[in-house]
Amino acid sequence: MKKYQNIILIILLAAVVRLAFITASPPSLYWEEAALGYDAYSILKSGQDLHGHPWPLVAFESFGDWKPSGYFYALVPFIAVFGLNEWAVRLPSALAGILTVWLTYLIVKHISKREAWAIWSSLILAIMPWHIQFSRAGFEVNLATFLLTLGVYCLILGKTRPGYLVGAMAAMVASMYTYHGLRILAPLLSGMFIIAGWKIYVKSKWFWISLGIGLILIIPIILAWNSPQIQQRINETSLFSTSLAVEMTNAERAADGNTLLARIIHHRYWFWGKEILAGSLSHFNPDFLFILGDHNNRHQTGFTALLYPWMAVPLLLGLMVIIFGRERRSWWLVGWILLATIPPALTNLTPHTLRFLPASPAMAMVIGLGMDEIWQWIFKRPRTRIFHGLVVLVVISSLTVYLYDLWFVYPKRSSQNWQYGYKEAIQAIKEDYYKDTPIMFTQTYGRPSIYALFYLNMDPKRIQQIEPQLPKSQGELLAIDNLTFGQPHPLPGMVVVSDVPLEGGALKQKIAFLDGKKAFYVYQY
Amino acid sequence: MSTNIKIALLIVIWVGLFLRLYRVGSNPVSLYWDEAAMAYDAYSVSQTGLDMQGNHWIQAIYPSYGDFKLPMYIWLTSVFMKLLGPTELSVRLTSVIAGTLLIGIVYLLGSHLFKSKTAGLFSAGVLAFSPWAIQFSRAGFEANLGLFWMTLAILCLVWSLKKPWLLSLVAASAAAGVYSYFSVRFVVPIVAILYILLNIRSVDKKFIIWFLAASIIFAALLIPIYRSPNYAQSNQFRLSTPSLLNTNEQVIQQNVNRELAGNTLVSRLIYHRDWFLLKRLAVNLATNMDLRYLFFSGDPNLRHGTGQTGLMLLPLGLFFFTGWITMFKRYWRQAIFLLGWWLAAIIPASIPLTLPHALRSLNALPVLALVIGYGVTVMWQSRFRWAKIIATGVLLLSLLSFSLYWHDYWQHYPERSAEAWQYGYEQLAGYLNTASQSYQAIYIVPADRLYLYLLFFMKIPPQMNMQKASNIQMKAVDEKTFRQLPTKSLVVLDLSLYNDYQQKIIPKAILNDFEGKPQFIVLEK
């Protein structure tokens, strides 16, 4: 038992920082989470999503944005046990986060004899703001990162025990069904391991069997590639569909007289190539990693970025040790981090905290290596205790300050970004809904209908039946029963939920964001 | 070997001179107003020994057109004005020569720091072909002259460990740098102290005496600037740009977060404004070290870069990484020295809020050249064949990348940047210079700082008020006034003013902007 004491404590720590106040910070369900929750509920009750598609395989239509199916199915058992609520929606992600911490320990322990490195790596991941943030809400990418890490662990184990290769295949394929970016990253990362260990893997029949099954299992994704299920996402976010490359290069070609040479030197592929490379490298900007993060308040607290600033030191040290030192065998950690920048680099928004998350376990292992180096180096110096104490002090104080902000202040700062207020507004009109009073609900904050489905716990079977007749924008419902979503036009007898004060009605309730700004006004006309 | 290096160095310097000097008067397409102001002051000094306001040429701060300029650039340029007459070439030649000599200095610096003439040569080559260096050497930028003196001072500094008397040259050269560009006063002392700390073991008594003497000389040489009657005003002018010193953003952040946290003692501590200020400074520093800025896009200001290339050629980015990584392993003192130099050079550029800024951070240029040059050398001299092959390939790619840059600089950059360089003012002044003799009075629509161009290109004798010296008045003439003007008058209008005439008067001449659209309309009566 003594042997496992450290890792058990770290897993407990990881669990506490991920699970404590999980429904209060982030303060409310974002609409993606509500959509994941309700569609999973729908599958549980009827075997169809809310649009009536039975058992979607590659992606759920949802708001017309076609979300990968993995998280929906992962949610089903949790909703079966806990019911349709915030806790159930967030739990799979939190558990995936905690398990990833454990996997990090297992991976390092397996590749090196250095127990201390393994402990540091898991500790670093346990307290890493980047990983905590995505473990505390229903983020598909966090579950996918867990699956990817599991896949890597099995691939490494598979070198000596080939049976694990089947597990590696299963985890990698599952990750591809869970998050868009992993459809690119999982094959790339597996490919890197397979090429590097070709001589070992190729001898085993399990390798060929799992490769074959894996290829068969991803056929649905390949077949769906040109359908809206995947193209929708590509059109919205891809660099190629949104950049100005074509216009710019055409203008310059014209200025050069459109000769063959001009066509070559002003070709859009150069432009795109540079953009992709710049986008990929932008994930290593120190201001992105250590100070600001990206500009989305849901992806980090805004007070702390992805990593604590002091982590810059062990990160660089860890990299140096991998490149020049004793851990040259662990080059694949660097490969993992570099490959993880490719999917976000293909999009139009870089650097991106969420899309880069699959690199976080590798990052933790590199930082953990650096921490271990520092720790061991202090052993060789005089006044060991003081310096060790200093390291511990830095770690604990930064974690404390971060958690204080995360648990108590961040929810107030970010409540509007998390769509705070919908739950309260739906509660406010609940009675009127059951009394069949006509209700108009503002659409200003986006996608209100999913919150009505979720918090009024509507029967999915009935929704599936009436869904074809309901007005929609893409996959988003614009009216359900006596509820209408849109710009409020009050008529006598109506209940109106507005985002701005209105004239003429009797104000029943005001709902505010957590920073005090007004979110909703509920009127009776 | 040694003669080969000498020949190669000569070639590099000559090519560097060519890249800086070739048609320097016509691209950048026009003098910017800072250049025009310095040109006229230099012309004035060369003709009369007095500046444009009639002050003696020996003064520490020139009032110029109200933005207060340091004297070194004007002094040196006045020599060329005497020799070559008042032309664009004379204004820019100072910068061209400073930029070319810098190549030689960087060679010596690289050879000394890395104990390898090859490293010096590659550093010099990188600098010679750097778009950043070329951009600022092809126009009258005081910062480029300041950079030359500063690097010369640092060269003497690294030599001074063996020959302490060189410290007196450090002081003189650094002072010359401060008289060229003010931020040098900040960079050199920091770099000097850092260098001495890093080599504290080689410091002897003689060195310390020379160092103290040099510090006193340096301080004494700067006294005239601080005691100049213009100092207070120039300081005020400099501090008036929006910067971290006069923003209150951190106070707002502090107050918002404290309020949300309930104004507890803890919240006062962790949301203190100084943290937010420090954070912002760190972000600004990171912006000036951003890879996208350094290797992909450069400064968006079209006078500071072409907008299509980074500060350094993109393929050289590879050597930037190998350079830093190997330097930290093999020459950690040099690595820390260069890192410190880089930081010291970008701190003055990180206080103002216009970011990133290639002009204010120009003092970092030799650092990048040296690191990349060292990176090339490491791979070039590697015992691995593949490293040599990659190095050769990337160098060829860099040459290709340079050709694309050079093509863009001559084919597309002039049009893109014409407005940024105030294209049109110089052309108008040139037109009036030939046309003005035959008119009694000339009325010119007031435009920002246009008079500087008229003074310089019409060779109006210094210290003469423009109205007294010539027949020119800066005055917008509308149609009604035009009809009352005496004959033999010439009127210059901009397009919007001329449109009010409703084409009742036929223009004598139309001066077009770079794209061929009418910019100035000339009417005759």
Side-chain angles (χ1 to χ4, degrees):
Chain A
M1 199 58 204
K2 192 94 199 287
K3 213 171 110 193
Y4 299 113
Q5 194 184 348
N6 287 331
I7 184 62
I8 289 172
L9 285 176
I10 287 170
I11 290 173
L12 279 177
L13 174 71
V16 169
V17 298
R18 279 160 182 76
L19 290 170
F21 313 112
I22 192 172
T23 53
S25 172
S28 50
L29 286 190
Y30 185 55
W31 62 49
E32 310 272 1
E33 296 182 273
L36 289 169
Y38 191 75
D39 263 334
Y41 180 64
S42 176
I43 289 282
L44 175 71
K45 295 287 172 198
S46 64
Q48 298 177 358
D49 74 355
L50 76 93
H51 298 288
H53 308 301
W55 301 105
L57 186 57
V58 176
F60 279 60
E61 184 179 349
S62 194
F63 306 118
D65 55 347
W66 297 97
K67 300 182 181 35
S69 58
Y71 202 91
F72 291 93
Y73 291 114
L75 263 177
V76 169
F78 291 90
I79 288 180
V81 175
F82 297 104
L84 184 59
N85 57 44
E86 293 102 339
W87 168 253
V89 172
R90 287 178 172 173
L91 201 52
S93 178
L95 289 179
I98 298 165
L99 289 175
T100 314
V101 171
W102 186 41
L103 275 177
T104 308
Y105 170 79
L106 292 177
I107 290 178
V108 178
K109 201 167 151 58
H110 187 79
I111 56 162
S112 116
K113 296 282 167 289
R114 293 166 71 171
E115 167 84 10
W117 176 14
I119 288 292
W120 272 115
S121 301
S122 52
L123 178 64
I124 294 290
L125 191 67
I127 64 169
M128 182 185 280
W130 189 16
H131 196 252
I132 295 172
Q133 181 78 15
F134 289 100
S135 298
R136 293 182 64 95
F139 279 110
E140 301 145 307
V141 67
N142 194 42
L143 181 60
T145 301
F146 161 71
L147 292 167
L148 184 81
T149 315
L150 182 62
V152 169
Y153 181 47
C154 292
L155 269 171
I156 296 173
L157 284 181
K159 284 186 178 169
T160 46
R161 281 169 277 177
Y164 277 98
L165 292 176
V166 182
M169 178 275 298
M172 288 293 182
V173 169
S175 79
M176 293 174 74
Y177 279 94
T178 305
Y179 184 66
H180 307 282
L182 273 287
R183 291 170 187 158
I184 299 168
L185 178 60
L188 283 178
L189 195 58
S190 315
M192 185 183 85
F193 276 100
I194 291 170
I195 291 169
W198 182 254
K199 284 183 191 151
I200 302 169
Y201 290 126
V202 81
K203 288 181 202 148
S204 156
K205 66 172 192 281
W206 289 110
F207 171 70
W208 294 105
I209 291 170
S210 27
L211 192 66
I213 300 175
L215 289 177
I216 293 169
L217 288 179
I218 59 173
I219 285 176
I221 293 182
I222 297 167
L223 289 180
W225 200 270
N226 282 322
S227 74
Q229 300 187 29
I230 288 178
Q231 282 300 316
Q232 176 66 30
R233 174 75 176 184
I234 293 179
N235 288 337
E236 275 170 21
T237 56
S238 146
L239 176 71
F240 309 105
S241 55
T242 52
S243 102
L244 296 168
V246 180
E247 288 88 335
M248 287 188 58
T249 49
N250 282 350
E252 290 188 333
R253 283 177 177 184
D256 281 345
N258 236 334
T259 59
L260 183 65
L261 188 64
R263 280 154 182 259
I264 294 172
I265 63 178
H266 297 299
H267 199 281
R268 58 182 179 278
Y269 287 168
W270 292 110
F271 194 94
W272 280 334
K274 271 163 79 173
E275 281 291 306
I276 291 171
L277 192 56
S280 160
L281 290 174
S282 69
H283 291 90
F284 304 110
N285 284 347
D287 53 340
F288 167 70
L289 286 176
F290 304 108
I291 312 168
L292 286 180
D294 64 14
H295 292 284
N296 190 327
N297 209 356
R298 284 187 306 279
H299 296 170
Q300 59 273 306
T301 63
F303 183 66
T304 312
L306 287 66
L307 308 172
Y308 303 106
W310 55 262
M311 284 184 171
V313 179
L315 178 62
L316 289 174
L317 193 61
L319 284 176
M320 292 292 283
V321 174
I322 289 175
I323 296 170
F324 291 117
R326 292 176 303 265
E327 296 302 337
R328 220 169 282 182
R329 290 166 304 155
S330 307
W331 60 271
W332 53 270
L333 285 173
V334 180
W336 182 344
I337 295 171
L338 289 177
L339 289 178
T341 64
I342 292 177
L346 298 174
T347 68
N348 51 12
L349 212 66
T350 53
H352 200 284
T353 314
L354 185 152
R355 294 179 192 146
F356 188 41
L357 185 74
S360 59
M363 202 75 104
M365 293 181 230
V366 177
I367 297 173
L369 177 60
M371 287 306 283
D372 189 33
E373 289 286 323
I374 294 172
W375 197 258
Q376 306 299 341
W377 181 72
I378 293 175
F379 266 126
K380 293 183 213 145
R381 304 243 121 199
R383 297 193 203 89
T384 301
R385 281 201 178 171
I386 296 177
F387 284 105
H388 275 169
L390 215 60
V391 172
V392 172
L393 186 73
V394 167
V395 172
I396 290 182
S397 56
S398 57
L399 177 68
T400 314
V401 170
Y402 166 71
L403 287 179
Y404 170 80
D405 183 68
L406 173 75
W407 284 339
F408 307 116
V409 185
Y410 170 65
K412 298 181 188 167
R413 200 163 54 223
S414 65
S415 67
Q416 185 165 358
N417 303 71
W418 284 99
Q419 308 295 333
Y420 183 86
Y422 270 131
K423 180 183 182 183
E424 290 70 14
I426 300 289
Q427 297 300 342
I429 56 161
K430 201 168 187 170
E431 278 178 31
D432 297 301
Y433 171 73
Y434 290 126
K435 278 190 266 174
D436 221 20
T437 322
I439 302 169
M440 292 221 60
F441 201 109
T442 176
Q443 223 186 355
T444 309
Y445 301 115
R447 309 201 166 159
S449 60
I450 194 69
Y451 290 94
L453 294 171
F454 190 101
Y455 284 113
L456 294 172
N457 223 328
M458 292 188 189
D459 179 12
K461 285 189 189 140
R462 195 172 64 82
I463 298 295
Q464 287 154 19
Q465 276 167 9
I466 59 171
E467 192 263 0
Q469 287 86 47
L470 296 177
K472 283 190 285 281
S473 143
Q474 276 195 317
E476 182 193 352
L477 305 180
L478 296 181
I480 310 165
D481 304 332
N482 49 336
L483 273 161
T484 323
F485 303 99
Q487 201 56 42
H489 302 291
L491 294 171
M494 228 180 215
V495 168
V496 173
V497 182
S498 165
D499 61 307
V500 287
L502 295 177
E503 300 277 308
L507 184 64
K508 287 172 69 181
Q509 197 174 339
K510 275 194 259 188
I511 294 157
F513 295 120
L514 290 174
D515 59 2
K517 293 196 191 92
K518 289 288 169 285
F520 293 105
Y521 299 83
V522 185
Y523 292 98
Q524 171 77 58
Y525 280 86
Chain B
M1 187 61 199
S2 185
T3 47
N4 282 348
I5 289 207
K6 262 182 210 159
I7 294 167
L9 180 66
L10 277 178
I11 293 173
V12 165
I13 292 180
W14 278 107
V15 171
L17 178 63
F18 169 78
L19 296 175
R20 283 152 181 77
L21 190 59
Y22 173 66
R23 292 177 57 201
V24 71
S26 57
N27 190 10
V29 292
S30 157
L31 291 188
Y32 184 58
W33 61 45
D34 278 323
E35 291 182 281
M38 289 191 296
Y40 190 63
D41 260 339
Y43 174 64
S44 174
V45 167
S46 75
Q47 297 295 309
T48 64
L50 305 172
D51 75 357
M52 64 164 114
Q53 268 88 359
N55 306 308
H56 193 270
W57 69 275
I58 301 182
Q59 55 177 340
I61 297 175
Y62 276 61
S64 191
Y65 61 87
D67 75 334
F68 302 98
K69 292 196 184 310
L70 289 160
M72 187 61 73
Y73 199 95
I74 296 170
W75 289 341
L76 295 180
T77 304
S78 66
V79 177
F80 297 121
M81 288 287 170
K82 195 87 187 173
L83 296 175
L84 304 172
T87 61
E88 293 101 326
L89 177 65
S90 317
V91 194
R92 290 176 172 170
L93 200 53
T94 312
S95 189
V96 169
I97 291 173
T100 310
L101 292 178
L102 187 66
I103 302 173
I105 299 178
V106 164
Y107 164 77
L108 295 172
L109 201 51
S111 310
H112 183 89
L113 284 178
F114 308 120
K115 302 180 181 66
S116 145
K117 292 208 158 71
T118 319
L121 183 64
F122 277 125
S123 305
V126 169
L127 184 82
F129 286 95
S130 150
W132 195 12
I134 293 172
Q135 183 74 26
F136 285 97
S137 298
R138 287 185 63 93
F141 282 107
E142 298 160 291
N144 198 43
L145 184 62
L147 170 68
F148 161 77
W149 289 116
M150 184 202 71
T151 318
L152 184 61
I154 292 176
L155 176 66
C156 294
L157 173 76
V158 301
W159 279 347
S160 69
L161 277 182
K162 294 232 173 79
K163 298 175 192 159
W165 62 269
L166 278 171
L167 284 169
S168 56
L169 291 189
V170 175
S173 182
V178 179
Y179 276 82
S180 315
Y181 196 66
F182 210 42
S183 68
V184 174
R185 79 190 185 292
F186 176 80
V187 183
V188 175
I190 290 185
V191 172
I193 290 168
L194 180 66
Y195 188 74
I196 290 163
L197 287 179
L198 285 168
N199 296 285
I200 198 82
R201 285 186 191 159
S202 335
V203 168
D204 54 13
K205 203 175 159 193
K206 202 173 151 201
F207 185 91
I208 292 172
I209 293 168
W210 273 106
F211 182 74
L212 291 176
S215 308
I216 293 167
I217 298 172
F218 180 65
L221 286 173
L222 297 194
I223 289 175
I225 294 184
Y226 289 96
R227 303 209 33 191
S228 158
N230 295 325
Y231 179 73
Q233 268 181 294
S234 75
N235 216 21
Q236 213 170 20
F237 180 78
R238 194 168 39 247
L239 295 178
S240 66
T241 44
S243 77
L244 292 184
L245 305 174
N246 50 31
T247 172
N248 63 349
E249 185 191 326
Q250 73 277 10
V251 182
I252 296 172
Q253 281 176 317
Q254 161 189 285
N255 292 346
V256 166
N257 279 295
R258 275 184 186 176
E259 196 61 37
L260 292 177
N263 228 337
T264 56
L265 188 67
V266 184
S267 73
R268 277 157 182 269
L269 204 63
I270 72 171
Y271 300 116
H272 194 276
R273 73 185 90 152
D274 290 346
W275 290 117
F276 290 111
L277 193 64
L278 198 66
K279 208 165 138 177
R280 182 63 198 265
L281 178 66
V283 170
N284 292 359
L285 285 172
T287 315
N288 275 314
M289 302 169 105
D290 185 304
L291 291 172
R292 189 187 279 266
Y293 160 65
L294 295 179
F295 291 101
F296 292 88
S297 59
D299 187 331
N301 183 330
L302 286 176
R303 282 190 308 283
H304 302 166
T306 62
Q308 294 284 303
T309 175
L311 302 181
M312 291 291 176
L313 299 169
L314 174 55
L316 295 177
L318 176 75
F319 301 120
F320 185 67
F321 286 111
T322 55
W324 275 125
I325 292 171
T326 9
M327 208 192 302
F328 265 103
K329 191 172 174 237
R330 293 190 199 162
Y331 292 111
W332 64 271
R333 283 198 177 85
Q334 281 80 335
I336 290 177
F337 173 65
L338 290 179
L339 197 61
W341 178 353
W342 193 8
L343 280 173
I346 60 178
I347 284 174
S350 302
I351 309 287
L353 301 183
T354 318
L355 291 159
H357 205 286
L359 172 63
R360 295 193 188 118
S361 61
L362 188 64
N363 287 334
L365 169 60
V367 177
L368 297 193
L370 287 164
V371 173
I372 294 172
Y374 179 66
V376 180
T377 316
V378 165
M379 290 188 76
W380 188 263
Q381 296 181 335
S382 162
R383 59 202 156 89
F384 300 112
R385 228 168 85 92
W386 57 265
K388 284 183 196 176
I389 294 171
I390 291 177
T392 316
V394 175
L395 283 180
L396 288 175
L397 262 181
S398 308
L399 216 56
L400 181 72
S401 159
F402 181 81
S403 324
L404 291 180
Y405 157 73
W406 198 240
H407 161 81
D408 180 71
Y409 189 85
W410 287 98
Q411 297 302 317
H412 306 286
Y413 175 64
E415 181 173 335
R416 200 184 306 137
S417 66
E419 204 182 328
W421 287 102
Q422 299 297 330
Y423 183 87
Y425 286 13
E426 190 182 320
Q427 285 64 28
L428 176 64
Y431 172 82
L432 293 177
N433 190 29
T434 50
S436 63
Q437 270 76 15
S438 43
Y439 295 94
Q440 299 279 341
I442 301 174
Y443 300 91
I444 302 174
V445 60
D448 217 1
R449 289 163 219 181
L450 174 59
Y451 72 96
L452 290 170
Y453 293 80
L454 302 177
L455 289 169
F456 182 67
F457 286 101
M458 297 176 73
K459 302 183 193 68
I460 293 170
Q463 292 99 45
M464 296 270 231
N465 184 303
M466 199 150 42
Q467 271 93 338
K468 265 192 240 161
S470 67
N471 38 8
I472 294 176
Q473 286 190 48
M474 304 300 272
K475 187 176 168 189
V477 175
D478 58 17
E479 197 198 331
K480 202 174 143 203
T481 328
F482 182 82
R483 299 205 180 279
Q484 295 158 0
L485 288 180
T487 50
K488 292 219 128 195
S489 299
L490 200 65
V491 172
V492 179
L493 303 169
D494 61 14
L495 193 62
S496 69
L497 200 58
Y498 178 65
N499 284 341
D500 295 341
Y501 281 56
Q502 291 161 348
Q503 302 189 342
K504 286 179 197 148
I505 312 230
I506 307 300
K508 175 172 163 28
I510 297 175
L511 298 177
N512 290 338
D513 68 9
F514 202 85
E515 286 172 22
K517 294 191 203 116
Q519 186 177 13
F520 290 112
I521 316 288
V522 183
L523 308 179
E524 183 188 35
K525 182 152 180 188

